[in-house]
Amino acid sequence: LIIGNKGAGKSTYIDRFFRSTLDSETRSRCLVLRIDLRSSSGNITGIVEWLDSQLSKLAEKALFDDELTYKDLQGVFFREYKRWCLGEMKFLYDSDRVAFKIEFGKFIQNQRLNQHDKYLAALLWHAVGGRQKMP
């Protein structure tokens, strides 16, 4: 997290660091998510939710080239998917895979739309564990 006054050189520092200082292999393994806080409403009580939402959107774009598919999201939530298959939703998984996938899709949708902090955490776990990226 880099904070400073307008014109202090924050963006210049980051650009130069990634372009000149880091070797190309390390640079290719980085997941850089940039947010300009000037685009926030400035409401301090909602800043964490706003940041989680913005970071989630940026992480989605950085990790997935096209529109997200069910399979992409299943990968992001792989740990939860396996837990559902083996744990609390095992019997639904065994008896009706389509119904299971619909229920899991509802879970994912709730995370994406209503629980940005948990969705962001899942995206970052996927970036690190599934993609070997450094956020």
Side-chain angles (χ1 to χ4, degrees), residues 18 31 39 41 43 50 58 60 63-66 71 93 97 106 111 122:
F18 279 94
L31 176 65
S39 60
S41 68
N43 179 359
W50 181 83
L58 291 169
E60 273 185 359
L63 293 170
F64 304 100
D65 297 331
D66 301 319
K71 191 172 183 177
Y93 179 81
R97 297 270 170 101
K106 289 177 184 177
Q111 297 279 303

Side-chain angles (χ1 to χ4, degrees), residues 10-19 31-37 39 50 54-55 58-59:
K10 302 173 297 296
S11 296
T12 302
Y13 173 78
I14 292 170
D15 290 340
R16 288 182 182 166
F17 178 78
F18 279 94
R19 187 177 55 238
L31 176 65
V32 179
L33 307 175
R34 290 181 173 198
I35 298 176
D36 187 344
L37 292 176
S39 60
W50 181 83
Q54 296 301 307
L55 288 168
L58 291 169

Side-chain angles (χ1 to χ4, degrees), residues 4 15 27 30 38 40 43 45 49 51 63 66 68 72 78 80-81 85 89 97-98 105-107 116 123-124 133:
D15 290 340
R27 185 173 38 246
C30 290
R38 290 179 294 185
S40 78
N43 179 359
T45 59
E49 174 67 22
L51 284 169
L63 293 170
D66 301 319
L68 280 170
D72 292 331
F78 181 73
E80 288 82 359
Y81 187 85
C85 289
M89 301 296 264
R97 297 270 170 101
V98 173
K106 289 177 184 177
F107 164 77
H116 296 122
L123 286 168
L124 294 176
K133 296 277 187 183

Side-chain angles (χ1 to χ4, degrees), residues 52 56 77 80 111 115-123 125:
D52 288 342
S56 295
F77 288 95
E80 288 82 359
Q111 297 279 303
Q115 298 183 11
H116 296 122
D117 57 335
K118 292 179 181 177
Y119 183 54
L120 176 59
L123 286 168
W125 271 106

Side-chain angles (χ1 to χ4, degrees), residues 69-114:
T69 65
Y70 183 91
K71 191 172 183 177
D72 292 331
L73 291 166
Q74 183 181 338
V76 168
F77 288 95
F78 181 73
R79 292 175 304 155
E80 288 82 359
Y81 187 85
K82 291 304 283 183
R83 191 190 76 230
W84 279 39
C85 289
L86 302 172
E88 62 264 28
M89 301 296 264
K90 178 185 180 355
F91 295 107
L92 181 60
Y93 179 81
D94 290 344
S95 65
D96 189 345
R97 297 270 170 101
V98 173
F100 175 86
K101 289 185 177 212
I102 290 169
E103 287 300 314
F104 195 72
K106 289 177 184 177
F107 164 77
I108 292 171
Q109 181 181 37
N110 182 54
Q111 297 279 303
R112 287 184 78 207
L113 299 178
N114 302 317

